[in-house]
Amino acid sequence: MPGRVCIVGSINMDLVVRTPAFPAPGETLAGGPFQTFPGGKGANQAVAAARMGAGVSIVGRVGADVYGNELRAVLAREGVNLAALRTTAGESTGVGLITVDESTGENTIVTVGGANQHLVADDIRSISGFIRSADVLLMQLEVSLDAVAAAADIAHLSNRMVVLNAAPACGLPDSFLNAIDVLIANENEAVQLAGAPEKTHADDLAQALLARGPRAVLITLGAKGAVVADAAGFEVIPSVTVDAIDTVGAGDAFCGSVAAMLSEGKSLHDAVRIGCVAGALASTRHGAIPSLPTREAVGRLLTKSELPLPNPALKSS
Ligand code: RIB
């Protein structure tokens, strides 16, 4: 059975330029082409979950401007429920300023929060029914900590699964982490969250983060897959090999797919295997939302790969 995922998060228009390399401080580089893509970690993860078959609602804010209208239209076309998406008058829609290194597909991102910053705990309390009626609440940290903490409390008290993608990383109180069932971070974010030295081994990072309260920790390792850590132990789930051209949205494809799979009752390990394939596929196309794979595309790549997950596991019924 398809599950229900409620997303609390950001909605941005991404302004993207491809460059031959990342510019050094003080350097001017010519790049191109310049493109705009719908994005924002919240919107990306909402579409990723919807394309994997989940029923998705999004809680967030856009501005009363052209980008806001366009992003609403994109999310509606993807079947995302917009009843809890508010418009903030007098504020611009969030923007992501992105460079993609065309030699590696890696990216740098600067966000301008705009309307996303106006999502507050009162907004969350006014739409609590969306959180209570979902199987999984999925959040990131591009909206205020007050808002995500309020959402986590509501979901936790209603026995809903709470998944936090701690991106971008910031200081998080243990009281908040206690309400999290699955904490997802990449290695840089995990280092910051754990207050650990750079290059700390992912297993040690996972151990340090588990000790702060979440029931499970997932550390994404890019092309190498992801570490799954919980009370039962640690395991590295491998990814598939692809030709990456643009990694923007790959982490969001992972998070949205993991949430969609958990919402329909798959095990954490199976959800992560599927999430790794979705993330890999997203890195083979340009842009955030345009790069997110469908359930069928993930199923096809799983079939071709040697990953130990029978394809029928992808069926939603
Ligand atoms: O994770 C990628 C996203 O981060 C981009 O779409 C950008 O808008 C920022 O939110």
Side-chain angles (χ1 to χ4, degrees):
M1 274 260 297
R4 287 158 302 171
V5 177
C6 178
I7 308 275
V8 172
S10 59
I11 300 155
N12 295 335
M13 188 57 78
D14 290 344
L15 313 184
V16 184
V17 62
R18 272 180 263 164
T19 58
F22 292 131
E27 184 182 10
T28 301
L29 267 186
F34 167 72
Q35 289 169 292
T36 58
F37 293 110
K41 294 186 197 303
N44 298 342
Q45 294 182 20
V47 172
R51 288 187 183 169
M52 290 302 288
V56 179
S57 58
I58 188 162
V59 182
R61 283 186 171 270
V62 292
D65 53 19
V66 174
Y67 287 162
N69 293 342
E70 203 177 321
L71 286 158
R72 274 182 180 277
V74 167
L75 291 166
R77 271 202 303 278
E78 297 289 340
V80 175
N81 183 331
L82 303 184
L85 176 58
R86 306 268 185 267
T87 297
T88 305
E91 182 58 278
S92 61
T93 295
V95 168
L97 303 166
I98 302 183
T99 48
V100 176
D101 179 336
E102 61 192 2
S103 63
T104 62
E106 288 180 325
N107 64 74
T108 63
I109 304 179
V110 175
T111 58
V112 180
N116 294 308
Q117 292 174 321
H118 293 262
L119 189 73
V120 294
D122 277 348
D123 290 325
I124 302 298
R125 288 188 273 271
S126 72
I127 55 74
S128 60
F130 286 89
I131 297 171
R132 289 199 189 92
S133 63
D135 301 295
V136 172
L137 169 69
L138 172 60
M139 308 179 293
Q140 319 76 33
L141 297 173
E142 286 185 333
V143 296
S144 76
L145 190 53
D146 280 357
V148 293
D153 278 348
I154 292 166
H156 188 59
L157 291 173
S158 318
N159 287 321
R160 301 297 175 229
M161 188 181 285
V162 184
V163 181
L164 174 71
N165 173 210
C170 65
L172 296 175
D174 286 356
S175 56
F176 171 56
L177 288 171
N178 261 314
I180 307 300
D181 293 296
V182 181
L183 175 68
I184 307 176
N186 66 25
E187 287 173 285
N188 289 335
E189 291 153 356
V191 160
Q192 286 184 56
L193 286 171
E198 269 181 48
K199 305 222 186 289
T200 301
H201 194 278
D203 284 1
D204 297 328
L205 292 171
Q207 179 94 56
L209 293 176
L210 266 183
R212 294 195 55 203
R215 258 58 74 204
V217 172
L218 309 181
I219 301 194
T220 56
L221 308 172
K224 286 182 280 175
V227 173
V228 183
D230 59 15
F234 294 75
E235 188 180 340
V236 177
I237 307 273
S239 191
V240 285
T241 304
V242 292
D243 290 325
I245 59 167
D246 178 346
T247 56
V248 177
D252 298 324
F254 175 87
C255 295
S257 303
V258 166
M261 294 301 105
L262 292 174
S263 76
E264 60 185 61
K266 292 213 168 20
S267 73
L268 185 59
H269 284 69
D270 282 352
V272 170
R273 284 189 183 94
I274 289 166
C276 286
V277 174
L281 275 172
S283 70
T284 63
R285 298 185 61 190
H286 290 296
I289 286 182
S291 74
L292 301 170
T294 60
R295 192 178 186 103
E296 293 69 30
V298 171
R300 278 195 299 274
L301 188 52
L302 268 169
T303 305
K304 268 176 50 188
S305 75
E306 305 273 299
L307 287 182
L309 183 68
N311 204 27
L314 252 190
K315 287 191 183 145
S316 66
S317 53

